[in-house]
Amino acid sequence: MYRSLLLTGLFGLAVWACDTADPDLVQTGTLHLTFDNVAGAQDLQLTTGTYRNATGESFTPTAFNYFVSNIKLTATDGRQYIVPQDSSYFLIRENVPTSQTISLANVPVGDYKSVSFLIGVDSLRSTMDIGRRTGVLDPAGDHTSANGMYWSWNSGYIFMKLEGTSPSAPTDATGNSTFRYHVGFFGGRDTRTINNLKTVTIDFGSDLASVKPAQVPTVTVQTDVLKIFEGPAAVSIAKNPEVMVSDYSQTVANNYARMMTYKGMTTATSN
Amino acid sequence: MRRWNLIGLIVSVGLFGAAVSCQSGEPGGSEPVVPVGPKPVDYKTTPYIWQKPANFPDPIYNFARNPMTVEGVELGRVLFYDDALSANGTISCGFCHQQGSAFAHTDHALSHGINDKIGTRNNLSLQNLAFYKSFFWDGGVSDLDLVPIAPIENPVEMGHNMGVLLANLRKSPKYPALFKTAYGSDSITTERFLKSLSQFMLTMVSANSRYDKFVRKEAGGELLPDELAGQTLFQQKCATCHAGELFTDQTFRNNGLSRALNQDKGRSLVTLRPEDKYRFKVPGLRNVDRSPPYMHDGRFLTLEQVLKHYASGVQEVPELDPALRTDGKPGIPLTGTEQKQIIAFLQTLTDFDYISDRRLGPN
């Protein structure tokens, strides 16, 4: 009784806090999400590492990038913190180490048990004014932006890009055996199309990410590139050396929806 | 001590609730949007008054998010005619889109780009872009602001990379000043670059043909008897698809072209839907007499050939649009005279003011 009265009072205060937009009243902290790209039990090395997929084909990746967006954190009491839309788009690039750790600021203090997000860029943002698509969503930015992760002739982002060489891939005119998987498609603007947006939920198991003003938890998510070739269906480089704008992209997306798992947590405390 | 702990807990839970309740349900709704329009600072732009022709439908383009200025339009015009937009500095937008042919390119059936590379489709003429829901023969892009990225990055058109191009423009002697005049600062962003090209393309309004003057009952709007007969025939036989003042209903259809030499799958390439196979955007027919060749692959060189196609060349393909079947047979029966009359009518859609307007030219 006493407690609920107090809560009601606080809620009034909270609403008031929203009105006056005084951020000092909500205690917040920072949470880091690190994406650790691997190939099975090995660390992922572009251009130098050689790995074997479920079909037994060996391959060397040359590019591996994916969008992570619409991040939500779930606390132990079930409450959710939704990262504000304009700060909820990230592009993880294997060749840009700094892109592999996402920093979420202004996270309300609390104990979080899971995180969920989309692999890809939702339809709303995909069709938004170009002025609202800056940073990683800029199709014309630098090497950290969507430059190279965007289809200009069929406006849309490439959600996941995996490119590489493989003896199983056919030899092209320049004598190279390459394969290219570019998966996108957000469901269509005016005409319904396929939708390859995948929601991933990463449960921290018995760990808790405790966000406090002076305590920054880092959650590590492991992304296994081999999973792109296995799961609901085995994907063979020999049979599908190029997967881009095609129905088959759904098979690849259904596989990569399971490429991420929880790896661990560290916590940095200041003072 | 324990009590304070409890209160602390309650406070943080309550405040968490507050934070959650502060989240706007509408995605992207909570953050302020920086307006691109004129700001009350030390630079001054002149608003560009864009006028909808009296006989036209409402535009589709959202002008509110790209307030047009004389300076923005001028910047867009300079960009449109600049070879620097291609990787090796040889091809501008205006190279492929030439004003005399209503911004089409009449020399080639298929588009002709950087290093003489040949594209896969015939060029489209450019006019009244503010009224279009989607662009390109397959409708792959539905926002005019995003159109330029496609030719700039297409390896057989301009072969460039947008990021590299913008970096070059930032280093160029002329662009920082032009962007400053248009936007108040010399920062060359993707948004400003694309929106100024849009501003210029939005000024490409063609609404002064003899036909327009006729419907608006203006001086110079007389149609000859054959042209009037052609108009009546057009209304009966063609306007199901080439509808309204834009002469397109903006849908994607199959008009029974033979696929012997060209198997372009059209709209299905961007939607992946089987029902969109071999369908193409119904093209608008304004200035059509000026913009041969015709169809997505430029297979017809003259309007006579086009009319002959509709009268006797329509193929019985599964995708054929029902509007092109008459009594169960493919095609639209048209006598030689009727074909000539329709062509006479189509020629009244040529807007000589438009193709000679100096403001739309390279200089």
Side-chain angles (χ1 to χ4, degrees), chain A residues 199-219:
Chain A
T199 306
V200 171
T201 301
I202 303 288
D203 215 298
F204 310 155
S206 54
D207 295 346
L208 284 182
S210 244
V211 175
K212 293 180 189 164
Q215 182 169 303
V216 179
T218 297
V219 173

Side-chain angles (χ1 to χ4, degrees), chain B residues 241-311:
Chain B
C241 307
H242 299 284
E245 294 301 87
L246 302 170
F247 294 87
T248 169
D249 65 354
Q250 306 204 39
T251 57
F252 300 86
R253 306 186 189 231
N254 179 287
N255 70 343
L257 297 174
S258 154
R259 291 205 282 272
L261 296 172
N262 184 302
Q263 282 96 38
D264 189 333
K265 290 202 183 62
R267 176 111 176 116
S268 73
L269 293 174
V270 300
T271 65
L272 299 177
R273 302 193 314 171
E275 62 267 43
D276 289 334
K277 253 193 198 162
Y278 306 114
R279 287 189 185 178
F280 291 86
K281 180 162 80 174
V282 174
L285 299 180
R286 286 181 167 275
N287 299 303
V288 69
D289 184 44
R290 304 292 302 200
S291 55
Y294 303 110
M295 306 301 166
H296 68 267
D297 56 1
R299 66 178 64 197
F300 300 133
L301 297 178
T302 63
L303 287 174
E304 282 74 16
Q305 289 174 333
V306 171
L307 267 293
K308 224 175 138 221
H309 162 73
Y310 282 114

Side-chain angles (χ1 to χ4, degrees), chain A residues 151 158 160-163 180-184 243-245 249:
Chain A
W151 284 312
I158 296 170
M160 191 287 302
K161 181 189 245 187
L162 173 66
E163 293 180 350
R180 297 190 296 171
Y181 292 178
H182 298 181
V183 179
V243 180
M244 293 188 187
V245 177
S249 66

Side-chain angles (χ1 to χ4, degrees), chain A residues 65-67 91 93 146-150 157-161:
Chain A
N65 315 321
Y66 49 87
F67 275 103
L91 174 56
R93 286 180 179 264
N147 196 338
M149 291 292 282
Y150 179 78
Y157 292 96
I158 296 170
F159 302 161
M160 191 287 302
K161 181 189 245 187

Side-chain angles (χ1 to χ4, degrees), chain A residues 7-22 25-26, chain B residues 11 13-22:
Chain A
L7 264 179
T8 317
L10 274 167
F11 223 77
L13 189 74
V15 171
W16 171 78
C18 288
D19 283 350
T20 57
D22 186 346
L25 279 176
V26 183
Chain B
V11 167
V13 167
L15 290 178
F16 186 359
V20 172
S21 70
C22 287

